[in-house]
Amino acid sequence: MTTQLPHSVLLSLRVIGLASASLVTGPLVASAGAQAITPQAIESATFAEWQARQGVDAPSGLDVEPAEPGEGAAPAPGEADSGSATAEVAVTGEPSVVVETPANTTDVPDETGVQPLSGEETPDPFLVRLQILLDRAHVSPGVIDGYLGENTRKAIRAYEEMRGLAVDGEPDEEMWTLLVVDTGEAAKTYQITEEDLSKRYVETIPDDYEDMAQMEWLGFHGPAEMLAERFHMDEELLKTLNPNATFSAAGEELLVASVADPADTKVSRITVDKGRGLVTAFDESGAIVMSAPATVGSSDTPSPSGTVTVLGAAPDPTYHYKPDVNFTQGDNREPLTLPAGPNGPVGSMWIDLSKPTYGIHGTAHPALIDKTQSHGCVRLTNWDAQNLAGLVLPNETKVEFLP
């Protein structure tokens, strides 16, 4: 699925990629010789057969370079679009407290242009199973999409660290042997309910902030997008696994990722590794409870340094646009309040930090986590932000920002 977006933000400068005015929410990397993506292929997938199919070393992940100025390109540093709007949210446990984020920290919606590395690739059943099992071990690969990208490698590294293995971020037999101690099915059948169909969906979300501010809710576009997020999946993978699904009838059965319930061990410390684009949460003993790929700030609008404290968490934050202190979007010269919703600028969760104006929050575009840069805050998928919010202890959990 290709989604047209209104602007661009700076992209991570890692490995040369391609940029355009549109966003391709599908894969950035695919493995060689992928099998057909069927339930049977997913459940029977093993590391040995995947390795045999490669023939060569698994390809390295593709990131992107800054877009060229022009249509769909990232604004140069100092240009008007490098600013952002502000968010105002209530802090759980302190209803009188309002969090307000300034120009250089709150994120504008993910806006970039990324294309696949080559041609029409297909997801790999082994990598689907691998990502699901990593997700169930609470080391999130971001979206489950069946491709060996950098976020999956981050999850592998986190799992290797968690289990005391040699750390290289690549699939190997030792890691796989421990991972498949989880013998549960990687995919399961889910039946669409009337409640799924009756949620607050929106047909379109306009680009212009004034038009967006007239809406009551920045919700999902339909059941397919909602269910993809519920099961931590790329929407295109969900549709690939269910080619005949309409996503519009109660009782319709779908094949979905069998993801785990969120971790439930409270965490005393969270690290935000800005160099790796990774959030890791630890319990009091220092054991890893959860990790997730993250989008962090750029060199021009960096994420904080040092150690701060979690103040609380606020689901479904609204978003305040103030052009007198932020960037000017289109012809909008007056402050605007954008409604809450999972497709809002800060997603469906805000975790407030003691450093004023900074937070950890969700996103409307989970496939772009760590494929763009934020304006200082730490951005996770909506589900990872929600999971992390359930683990923190207000006024106790520390967040350490690593270089």
Side-chain angles (χ1 to χ4, degrees), residues 72-350:
E79 290 185 0
D81 274 351
S82 64
S84 70
T86 62
E88 199 170 276
V89 296
V91 180
T92 302
E94 299 182 70
S96 63
V97 175
V98 172
V99 181
E100 187 154 329
T101 62
N104 68 337
T105 58
T106 302
D107 303 326
V108 295
D110 290 293
E111 294 157 356
T112 185
V114 178
Q115 293 179 336
L117 179 61
S118 61
E120 291 296 327
E121 304 285 1
T122 57
D124 187 292
F126 167 75
L127 295 173
V128 172
R129 187 180 179 198
L130 172 70
Q131 290 171 333
I132 293 170
L133 294 180
L134 289 168
D135 183 281
R136 290 217 293 251
H138 304 303
V139 285
S140 171
V143 292
I144 294 167
D145 60 6
Y147 296 89
L148 186 57
E150 286 305 314
N151 288 341
T152 297
R153 287 187 168 90
K154 290 177 191 178
I156 293 171
R157 287 182 64 91
Y159 185 77
E160 290 168 333
E161 291 171 2
M162 180 187 290
R163 301 304 298 268
L165 304 175
V167 177
D168 63 5
E170 296 294 337
D172 59 45
E173 188 66 48
E174 186 178 21
M175 180 274 300
W176 181 250
T177 298
L178 291 178
L179 195 61
V180 294
V181 169
D182 178 347
T183 58
E185 290 186 340
K188 67 179 182 180
T189 299
Y190 176 78
Q191 194 170 76
I192 294 178
T193 67
E194 290 286 357
E195 182 181 358
D196 294 333
L197 301 177
S198 62
K199 290 185 179 295
R200 299 171 66 188
Y201 298 120
V202 295
E203 185 173 349
T204 60
I205 296 177
D207 295 337
D208 186 80
Y209 278 12
E210 184 175 13
D211 294 336
M212 199 181 296
Q214 303 306 310
M215 300 182 68
E216 296 182 356
W217 176 251
L218 299 178
F220 293 120
H221 295 94
E225 184 184 16
M226 181 274 293
L227 290 168
E229 287 220 1
R230 179 183 295 176
F231 297 108
H232 307 178
M233 300 172 70
D234 182 82
E235 188 174 345
E236 290 306 309
L237 177 60
L238 178 63
K239 292 178 178 178
T240 297
L241 290 174
N242 300 279
N244 299 317
T246 66
F247 300 97
S248 62
E252 187 172 69
E253 290 191 344
L254 304 175
L255 187 71
V256 299
S258 182
V259 294
D261 293 331
D264 57 9
T265 302
K266 295 298 183 181
V267 299
S268 60
R269 182 170 68 99
I270 297 168
T271 60
V272 179
D273 190 324
K274 295 185 286 186
R276 293 169 60 189
L278 186 70
V279 166
T280 307
F282 302 85
D283 67 15
E284 288 186 353
S285 71
I288 296 174
V289 175
M290 169 191 170
S291 77
T295 294
V296 297
S298 67
S299 58
D300 293 326
T301 55
S303 296
S305 298
T307 300
V308 299
T309 303
V310 171
L311 297 182
D316 295 324
T318 56
Y319 189 80
H320 289 249
Y321 166 72
K322 297 182 179 179
D324 56 333
V325 294
N326 306 139
F327 77 109
T328 301
Q329 195 259 356
D331 295 326
N332 296 310
R333 301 294 188 270
E334 299 297 327
L336 297 167
T337 298
L338 278 58
N343 276 336
V346 289
S348 59
M349 179 59 68
W350 173 276

Side-chain angles (χ1 to χ4, degrees), residues 37-62:
I37 188 77
T38 66
Q40 295 76 17
I42 293 171
E43 300 301 341
S44 65
T46 66
F47 172 74
E49 60 85 14
W50 177 78
Q51 186 180 47
R53 284 191 284 108
Q54 302 313 296
V56 294
D57 291 338
S60 60
L62 170 69

Side-chain angles (χ1 to χ4, degrees), residues 5 9 23 108-112 295 345 363-366 368-369 372 379:
L5 296 168
V9 294
L23 160 68
V108 295
D110 290 293
E111 294 157 356
T112 185
T295 294
T363 180
H365 302 294
L368 286 183
I369 288 297
T372 63
R379 186 187 304 151

